[in-house]
Amino acid sequence: MKYIGMPMGMWVLFGKSFEGHLVSEFGFDRDTAKMTSAKAKPQYKKIIAGLPEFEKADRFKMNIVNCALLAAFVLNMPERPDVERLTAYYAGSMMTPAMKWFCRKSGKSKFTKKDISSMKAAERLRAADRNPYSWNMEFLPYPDGSGYEARFTACGICTLMREMGLYALVPAMCRLDYTIAEAGGTSDFFREYTLASGGPYCDCGYKKKREGR
């Protein structure tokens, strides 16, 4: 995968936030945080360079780029964090003001015809059949019309994190789904299983918020 484009843009958007939250979440002094960030950037570029290019229609490219960004920082921290602390760190680093704005904007289109069409297209694509760093997904509308479930049977994050020896930390990334849905403001997020915790699939359930909530 080429660094120029989305990967470079994600570093510009989130790199400083990931650095800053080393101080606020882990208690690093600022010099250690800067040093960690300085080491993470070439590591991030290296991870990106080792990934295949994603198909143009693959909507999950950003997910693997985010994973590469987090992994680069973790691999250069003085100590490996536990899942609980990394969950708070990842959420804090990702949920910048710009990201919150993006989530609110995306939330407004949740459950629209365009959103449903996009989910069905992702189901048909089955990108992980050709790219182990992508996802395969089933689109399962709820019979009562209250929303839908996106059920993932292949996960690119699991593949990449396992290769880097960070598989036990994948749940820290999974938890962000709740945070993003909450920031979107139009859906409640539900989950029973994740592949990372040994489940048969990852279920991402979205139900329409009722008026007044």
Side-chain angles (χ1 to χ4, degrees), residues 181-195:
E182 183 178 354
T186 56
S187 64
D188 291 315
F189 185 82
F190 298 90
R191 168 175 286 147
E192 186 174 2
Y193 302 110
T194 64
L195 292 168

Side-chain angles (χ1 to χ4, degrees), residues 50-90:
L51 296 172
E53 288 297 338
F54 274 47
E55 296 172 58
K56 187 176 181 180
D58 192 337
R59 63 180 283 159
F60 299 114
K61 180 178 179 178
M62 185 179 293
N63 297 44
I64 204 67
V65 170
N66 290 345
C67 178
L69 182 57
L70 178 63
F73 273 88
V74 172
L75 290 169
N76 287 283
M77 291 179 185
E79 295 182 5
R80 187 69 51 85
D82 59 32
V83 170
E84 184 176 355
R85 295 187 73 191
L86 190 65
T87 299
Y89 170 72
Y90 184 56

Side-chain angles (χ1 to χ4, degrees), residues 29 36 47 52 65 70 122 133 144 156-157 168 175 183 193 203-204:
D29 61 66
T36 303
I47 295 170
V65 170
L70 178 63
Y133 301 97
D144 61 2
I157 287 173
R175 187 63 181 76
Y193 302 110
D203 52 324
C204 298

Side-chain angles (χ1 to χ4, degrees), residues 194-210:
T194 64
L195 292 168
S197 61
Y201 48 75
C202 295
D203 52 324
C204 298
Y206 299 91
K207 287 195 174 184
K208 300 172 185 176
K209 282 186 177 291
R210 296 191 297 270

Side-chain angles (χ1 to χ4, degrees), residues 54-131:
F54 274 47
E55 296 172 58
K56 187 176 181 180
D58 192 337
R59 63 180 283 159
F60 299 114
K61 180 178 179 178
M62 185 179 293
N63 297 44
I64 204 67
V65 170
N66 290 345
C67 178
L69 182 57
L70 178 63
F73 273 88
V74 172
L75 290 169
N76 287 283
M77 291 179 185
E79 295 182 5
R80 187 69 51 85
D82 59 32
V83 170
E84 184 176 355
R85 295 187 73 191
L86 190 65
T87 299
Y89 170 72
Y90 184 56
S93 299
M94 287 299 298
M95 298 309 290
T96 62
M99 182 64 170
K100 291 176 182 177
W101 173 86
F102 176 78
C103 289
R104 290 193 297 271
K105 183 178 179 182
S106 298
K108 292 178 181 179
S109 64
K110 199 73 173 173
F111 311 115
T112 62
K113 289 183 178 180
K114 182 178 180 180
D115 176 49
I116 300 302
S117 177
S118 177
M119 298 298 288
K120 290 181 177 179
E123 178 182 43
R124 291 192 299 270
L125 187 62
R126 294 189 59 83
D129 287 351
R130 299 169 297 282
N131 177 0

Side-chain angles (χ1 to χ4, degrees), residues 18-66:
F18 273 72
E19 179 183 318
H21 280 82
L22 291 173
V23 177
S24 60
E25 295 294 342
F26 291 120
F28 288 15
D29 61 66
R30 295 199 176 277
D31 287 342
T32 302
K34 286 182 179 295
M35 185 181 300
T36 303
S37 183
K39 292 179 179 179
K41 188 171 183 179
Q43 180 95 53
Y44 173 62
K45 289 183 176 180
K46 182 179 179 180
I47 295 170
I48 292 296
L51 296 172
E53 288 297 338
F54 274 47
E55 296 172 58
K56 187 176 181 180
D58 192 337
R59 63 180 283 159
F60 299 114
K61 180 178 179 178
M62 185 179 293
N63 297 44
I64 204 67
V65 170
N66 290 345

